[in-house]
Amino acid sequence: MPFTFRAAALPSALWFGILAAPAALAQDIPTAATGTEQAAIIAEIEAFGAGDASADPAADLVKIADLRRRITALGGLPATELGLLESAEGAAHFYLRDFDAAAAAYGRAGPLLEAGGAPPDELAGFYNNRASILAAIGRYAEAEADHRRALAIRRGIEGERGEAVSSSLFGLGYVYYRQGRIEESLPYLREAAEQQLDFVRPGNPLPVVRMASLASVLGRSGRTAEALVAARKAEALAREYLGPEHPTFGIALNNLGNALIENRIFREAIPVLRESMAVRIATVGEQASGTAITMRNLATALKASGQQADAEELNRRALEIYEATGEVENPFALAYLYAELADFAARRGEWDRYFALSDKSLESADAALEQDSAEQAHIHLYRAEWLLRKGDLAAARAEAERWVPVMQSDLIAAHEDRIWAEMLLARLRQLTGEDVANVTTLADAAMDKLESKLADLAVSDGALVREAQRHREAALLYLALAADLADDERMVRSMQLANISELARGQQFAQPADGGDEDGALALRARLLDLARTTAELRARLEAAQLDEIADRDGLARKLAAADNAASAAEAELTERFPDFVARYRPQPLTLAQLRARMQDGDLLLAPVEGEARTWVLAIGKDSLRWTTLDTAQLGKQVAALREAVDLPDPALTSFPLGTAHALFRDLLPQGLGDARRVLVHGGERLASLPVALLTTQAHDGPLADAPWLVRTASVQVVSNLALFKPEQPVRAPQRSRRFVGVGGVELPGASADNAPRLAGLFRSGRPDRGVIGDLPALPAAAQELRGLAEAFPADGRMLLIGPDAAEERFKRADLAGLDVLAFATHGLVAGEMTGLWEPALLLGTSDPTAGEDGLLGASEIAQLTIDADWVILSACNTASGASDGAPSYSGLATAFAQSGARALLLSHWRVRDDAAAWLSVRTLEAVNAGESRAGALRQAQLALIGDSGMEGASHPAIWAPFVLIEN
């Protein structure tokens, strides 16, 4: 499992706090001395204000001690100068992390500066700095009072907006943040970061620090998408105004990379973190702890992207830095790093090395962490998990029995690590002969908590994204337990819980950025999430207040009760007014009987659940349930071989790895299809990137046109959300008034007028500039395809937005109510592979530079639309692809259109010739209009294309198999 570390941009208050604060002697206010020596001393004191207090604070203290002796010999200085010297001493102690001494020095400085009549701006700076020190030692009420004094003075000088005002606003937000009052801190931090943008200038790190700190707090509050936007702004400011020679640029890059990791956009995170590492090596050195943090973040992104060797090497280098310097960002950093390196050894079966590193991990955890802490328990249970995989069940159970109770004591019931730990213990008890009733009681209780959490509308999508892997691991343990019990009902439940955990990965982007209609479901849920954050914060503050005799516990309890009641009311309203929205966003598992009641005769539900080492495949019929397990690594190789054959087919389009196609079919369905005539596919990660229609049901080594493709026997349909899966509805009567909207044929800069068949899309992403867009292949048949689709509809029911008419601003003004079909023929862009695009998008272009559109219709914008369409056809490249690395393959644009109201989608998996795309989409629609089901219609079109000798290469799966039907 990956561990992610963030380089802190805080304490940011001190970036602006230690300004012109030469400090002085804390004695009775002396009489003024005169002469040359006095002037020299004052000049030296004021030089502290012009210097960098963080550069060499130890040397500053030596200078200050010498000044004290000289001032004593001189007989004194004016009070203001003495106050400034005390301030300088406070700053030096602060940067030496001696906060108590710093607070004492600032405490002595205050009366001197006030008595000496220091100028208002200097007094404000002093209050600001003293507040920062007080916050660092937990004296928050005093810190808040000082920041408010500074803010009042600065507003009197600068008005409501100003560089110093921004500093005080940020300081107040920081004080609230340090107390865990995150929701209260955000308005101050947002305003401070926004105001600071008025004062950007070369070499000034404050705008970067403020924006990066805002991003960190947003991420902690669960607003991961907004955090990513702020992290991008911080990086852009650092790049433009600081450059690669400034260490703050390295921090901004690191924090952007971390935000990308939290959003599972690993491909973009990798180059960002590589650049951060280079900057940090150049500015602070390769042996600095900050450099080690970036190495570890980069290792996380590389590991998640399958680059295990590079990830291991970076973790090893980080470990060397920590061991050499003794500087770690938290007490358990070394323990986790040893555990991560042990993980790499175990994956290779190097058990001696694994145990050597794991022993070090346990020793480090036990020495560094508070006895019986959740972090300590986590390290021990990580070892128990590997002992289970190795087969040392007795040792694994002993670890689990010792440490799971610690998890239960330290973590809330719904915490992802606690749920996983309880399932691990239940599984180990089962494998070591514990009574079945005791095992299932613990396991069912853990799954009840997981199911409740996944159904909770007050849990943010960002939180479920971050926790999805752990939830999936817990569900897989439950699935293995249920299989050993031969318990079909529990197997079906665990399969659904594992796959439901993945849905949020698409939902995190498939939401409107501004909340949409004030009275709509998304806006109501946004209000619920805000209330949930407030409730969580108040609960944490009330718990902390139990140890604070002066805290207003009764007041906090009243606020908590009010927030709880408001959240419950919002959730009830959302559930009552928008039941379909609730079922889509927070689906709950069906029982086996409920699932079968929604299936038809001849249906077979194929449900893969891919684990790290082992993949489970459930095949559920109306009256049968079979399951098998596969080696996940071998499965990945099979899928990769088949994808390579369609992504990069041989030029003659005559060869295909038929042996692999049949081997994978046998692995998935060892007993064959039986009498199944429709295969419903639910779940999967690697498998979700491959349409099962191209598997072969029998061995074959002849021409591709004669191959026994699965599509010859059965139609294929993807069911992404079983909660919305319903019995197939009859096709609407053809005589009803029908409507079609077609969008595409976007004119690209520099596009070729060549009419030869071109690729209909490209697996790319990013907010591309004009030059990058010009590099995309032209789609000469896009307009023809849309016109062909339109021919299936009455003349008065057609709307074509082609070329300039497809511009984003024009599409958003179109009437999309009551549609039979909404079709796009354009480029699909996938998040994460190109810098700048944080969500999947469709390329529409813009014809009006003043329209406020960028020409990319993003997932968040799609979800905000109301698309009342029976189905959406996305004849664009990779529109079935996930929202991010590691996401299920249907979680990007597909999820966005589903959220907007589309009832079915026809999507492409890979680059497909646009003549083939036109053939398949037009003939599929024609068959539907003739009365065929959508899945049956796609099957008919694919079979017709396979048999069409007039189209070059038509029998190759690269040409006929790219489309997948998603219908709920």
Side-chain angles (χ1 to χ4, degrees):
M1 63 186 186
F3 306 108
T4 306
F5 298 84
R6 182 197 304 275
L10 297 175
S12 301
L14 268 295
W15 286 75
F16 60 79
I18 311 302
L19 298 175
L25 202 60
Q27 303 174 358
D28 293 336
I29 299 174
T31 57
T34 59
T36 305
E37 175 65 0
Q38 180 191 43
I41 291 173
I42 290 175
E44 290 180 54
I45 290 174
E46 292 179 348
F48 284 109
D52 182 357
S54 66
D56 192 351
D60 286 346
L61 287 178
V62 174
K63 295 177 185 176
I64 290 168
D66 179 63
L67 284 168
R68 287 180 185 280
R69 288 190 294 271
R70 291 162 60 191
I71 292 169
T72 299
L74 189 66
L77 281 180
T80 299
E81 301 302 327
L82 293 173
L84 293 177
L85 186 59
E86 292 289 358
S87 297
E89 181 177 338
H93 283 304
F94 174 85
Y95 284 110
L96 290 171
R97 314 296 289 177
D98 188 349
F99 299 130
D100 289 328
Y106 272 97
R108 296 190 297 268
L112 291 167
L113 291 170
E114 291 164 354
D121 59 335
E122 289 190 12
L123 269 179
F126 164 76
Y127 291 138
N128 212 55
N129 294 344
R130 186 168 70 179
S132 300
I133 301 294
L134 292 168
I137 59 175
R139 291 162 61 178
Y140 299 119
E142 297 169 77
E144 181 179 351
D146 267 352
H147 274 310
R148 291 199 179 279
R149 289 189 189 99
L151 179 61
I153 293 172
R154 287 167 167 177
R155 279 178 168 163
I157 297 172
E158 296 180 338
E160 289 299 310
R161 295 179 65 87
E163 191 165 14
V165 168
S166 167
S167 171
S168 291
L169 288 170
F170 190 88
L172 277 167
Y174 179 52
V175 168
Y176 288 134
Y177 168 81
R178 286 291 300 264
Q179 298 176 76
R181 297 160 65 179
I182 295 176
E183 296 303 305
E184 292 178 78
S185 76
L186 280 170
Y188 291 98
L189 297 178
R190 284 192 178 104
E191 178 65 18
E194 189 274 329
Q195 284 197 25
Q196 190 66 48
L197 295 178
D198 294 342
F199 307 102
V200 293
R201 55 184 178 271
N204 179 18
L206 293 185
V208 178
V209 172
R210 304 270 166 77
M211 194 64 69
S213 300
L214 173 61
S216 297
V217 178
L218 287 167
R220 180 175 173 183
S221 74
R223 297 171 172 89
T224 52
E226 188 181 354
L228 180 54
V229 172
R232 289 192 190 281
K233 289 181 180 178
E235 183 272 340
L237 289 168
R239 186 177 297 278
E240 182 173 358
Y241 293 101
L242 301 180
E245 294 79 24
H246 200 292
T248 303
F249 183 38
I251 293 176
L253 285 164
N254 179 82
N255 288 357
L256 172 57
N258 187 78
L260 290 163
I261 288 173
E262 290 183 348
N263 283 283
R264 300 188 66 80
I265 306 177
F266 299 118
R267 290 180 184 170
E268 187 179 344
I270 290 170
V272 169
L273 290 166
R274 287 195 190 280
E275 185 177 8
S276 174
M277 189 168 72
V279 170
R280 301 191 95 165
I281 289 173
T283 57
V284 299
E286 186 166 1
Q287 297 302 308
S289 59
T291 304
I293 290 174
T294 298
M295 288 177 177
R296 299 185 67 183
N297 281 337
L298 178 55
T300 296
L302 290 167
K303 184 176 180 181
S305 301
Q307 301 177 55
Q308 304 289 324
D310 289 346
E312 182 176 12
E313 173 61 18
L314 283 167
N315 276 324
R316 185 192 59 76
R317 289 172 62 189
L319 176 63
E320 290 175 352
I321 293 171
Y322 287 152
E323 290 180 330
T325 64
E327 297 178 5
V328 293
E329 67 275 13
N330 54 58
F332 46 87
L334 269 179
Y336 276 127
L337 188 48
Y338 282 126
E340 185 78 348
L341 289 167
D343 175 86
F344 288 111
R347 291 173 191 277
R348 293 191 298 269
E350 297 174 0
W351 291 108
D352 288 344
R353 178 167 174 74
Y354 167 79
F355 283 112
L357 289 165
S358 180
D359 287 345
K360 287 186 176 181
S361 175
L362 298 182
E363 291 167 6
S364 177
D366 293 342
L369 304 179
E370 181 183 348
Q371 186 67 23
D372 288 3
S373 70
E375 294 290 352
Q376 189 179 13
H378 193 270
I379 296 293
H380 281 270
L381 291 173
Y382 194 37
R383 179 172 177 131
E385 184 180 36
W386 273 114
L387 290 171
L388 168 60
R389 294 193 194 185
K390 187 176 183 293
D392 193 347
L393 301 180
R397 178 172 175 178
E399 290 277 8
E401 293 286 1
R402 167 68 177 86
W403 293 102
V404 170
V406 176
M407 286 283 204
Q408 293 172 321
S409 173
D410 280 18
L411 302 177
I412 62 172
H415 194 284
E416 70 274 14
D417 287 335
R418 176 172 168 177
I419 292 172
W420 165 78
E422 290 170 342
M423 269 310 312
L424 177 63
L425 178 57
R427 179 62 173 151
L428 286 167
R429 285 177 175 175
Q430 179 192 36
L431 292 171
T432 51
E434 182 79 15
D435 179 72
V436 171
N438 292 337
V439 169
T440 55
T441 296
L442 178 60
D444 289 343
M447 288 301 98
D448 287 345
K449 288 183 287 189
L450 177 56
E451 183 173 332
S452 176
K453 182 179 183 179
L454 294 175
D456 189 349
L457 288 159
V459 177
S460 71
D461 293 323
L464 293 185
V465 168
R466 291 191 302 275
E467 299 168 9
Q469 185 60 35
R470 190 51 108 199
H471 291 159
R472 189 178 185 84
E473 290 168 357
L476 280 163
L477 287 166
Y478 191 60
L479 179 53
L481 180 149
D484 283 357
L485 294 174
D487 189 321
D488 290 354
E489 197 68 58
R490 285 189 172 96
M491 291 188 73
V492 170
R493 183 191 191 197
S494 59
M495 172 272 291
Q496 292 178 81
L497 289 173
N499 288 330
I500 288 172
S501 297
E502 301 299 322
L503 290 178
R505 295 193 186 180
Q507 292 167 351
Q508 65 171 333
F509 294 120
Q511 299 182 54
D514 61 4
D517 180 5
E518 291 182 1
D519 196 40
L522 284 165
L524 184 55
R525 181 165 182 259
R527 190 166 85 232
L528 172 60
L529 289 174
D530 284 340
L531 287 167
R533 294 185 187 105
T534 299
T535 299
E537 181 177 300
L538 287 169
R539 186 170 287 111
R541 290 175 58 195
L542 182 59
E543 182 178 343
Q546 304 308 313
L547 304 176
D548 186 347
E549 293 183 359
I550 65 172
D552 182 11
R553 292 189 287 269
D554 290 341
L556 286 172
R558 286 192 296 272
K559 290 180 180 179
L560 175 59
D564 256 334
N565 291 336
S568 296
E571 185 164 8
E573 181 184 357
L574 183 59
T575 302
E576 180 180 352
R577 289 179 57 197
F578 303 101
D580 288 346
F581 173 91
V582 171
R584 190 174 299 282
Y585 264 86
R586 291 293 180 264
Q588 299 185 45
L590 303 176
T591 65
L592 183 55
Q594 289 172 330
L595 177 57
R596 284 174 169 157
R598 302 183 184 199
M599 298 171 67
Q600 302 174 160
D601 292 336
D603 279 353
L604 180 68
L605 178 68
L606 186 67
V609 184
E610 297 177 31
E612 186 174 345
R614 191 180 185 191
T615 291
W616 298 79
V617 182
L618 277 63
I620 304 171
K622 287 282 285 183
D623 56 4
S624 65
L625 189 154
R626 303 189 301 272
W627 58 268
T628 188
T629 61
L630 311 176
D631 177 84
T632 299
Q634 177 61 23
L635 170 66
K637 292 177 182 177
Q638 291 173 316
V639 172
L642 294 171
R643 273 304 302 246
E644 183 179 5
V646 292
D647 288 329
L648 300 169
D650 73 288
L653 294 173
T654 57
S655 65
F656 186 76
L658 292 167
T660 303
H662 183 53
L664 182 53
F665 173 82
R666 289 197 318 271
D667 289 345
L668 296 174
L669 294 164
Q671 297 180 357
L673 286 173
D675 57 1
R677 292 297 173 262
R678 182 172 67 157
V679 176
L680 305 166
V681 181
H682 173 66
E685 294 182 52
R686 296 162 185 81
L687 278 169
S689 69
L690 190 75
V692 299
L694 59 65
L695 303 182
T696 54
T697 57
Q698 299 174 16
H700 178 77
D701 60 2
L704 296 181
D706 300 329
W709 308 114
L710 184 148
V711 74
R712 295 192 189 277
T713 304
S715 61
V716 178
Q717 174 182 325
V718 171
V719 181
S720 59
N721 187 339
L722 288 177
L724 298 177
F725 175 57
K726 298 175 182 177
E728 189 171 41
Q729 301 296 313
V731 178
R732 295 179 178 178
Q735 63 267 23
R736 72 181 279 279
S737 176
R738 295 178 294 118
R739 293 193 61 221
F740 169 84
V741 173
V743 185
V746 178
E747 296 177 359
L748 305 176
S752 170
D754 180 14
N755 291 323
R758 301 290 297 274
L759 297 176
L762 187 62
F763 184 74
R764 303 188 69 169
S765 65
R767 295 278 172 187
D769 59 23
R770 185 177 179 86
V772 173
I773 292 174
D775 290 338
L776 295 170
L779 307 176
Q784 176 186 347
E785 175 185 349
L786 294 172
R787 293 188 179 99
L789 288 168
E791 289 297 323
F793 292 84
D796 60 355
R798 309 170 188 167
M799 179 189 296
L800 289 172
L801 302 175
I802 295 175
D805 290 334
E808 183 180 3
E809 60 272 14
R810 298 187 183 185
F811 170 73
K812 288 182 176 178
R813 293 195 298 266
D815 178 10
L816 303 178
L819 298 182
D820 280 72
V821 174
L822 170 62
F824 292 85
T826 186
H827 287 282
L829 307 174
V830 180
E833 197 175 357
M834 182 183 294
T835 300
L837 182 61
W838 59 273
E839 62 176 349
L842 292 171
L843 176 62
L844 299 185
T846 178
S847 59
D848 181 1
T850 67
E853 304 291 356
D854 59 8
L856 291 172
L857 185 66
S860 62
E861 297 171 296
I862 293 167
Q864 189 171 356
L865 301 172
T866 299
I867 300 178
D868 179 20
D870 282 348
W871 63 332
V872 172
I873 298 174
L874 298 183
S875 181
C877 164
N878 266 8
T879 47
S881 294
S884 59
D885 301 288
S889 196
Y890 314 114
S891 68
L893 293 169
T895 302
F897 277 106
Q899 307 299 8
S900 72
R903 290 174 282 282
L905 302 105
L906 185 66
L907 313 174
S908 58
H909 260 305
W910 58 74
R911 293 185 284 185
V912 53
R913 274 201 334 238
D914 56 355
D915 58 340
W919 169 290
L920 288 166
S921 54
V922 170
R923 280 160 179 76
T924 299
L925 183 55
E926 289 174 346
V928 169
N929 287 339
E932 183 61 72
S933 68
R934 293 187 184 91
L938 176 59
R939 174 174 175 263
Q940 286 185 11
Q942 289 173 325
L943 291 174
L945 183 55
I946 291 170
D948 187 345
S949 59
M951 181 178 291
E952 181 183 358
S955 62
H956 196 286
I959 304 301
W960 66 261
F963 284 110
V964 61
L965 174 70
I966 303 177
E967 184 172 0
N968 289 315

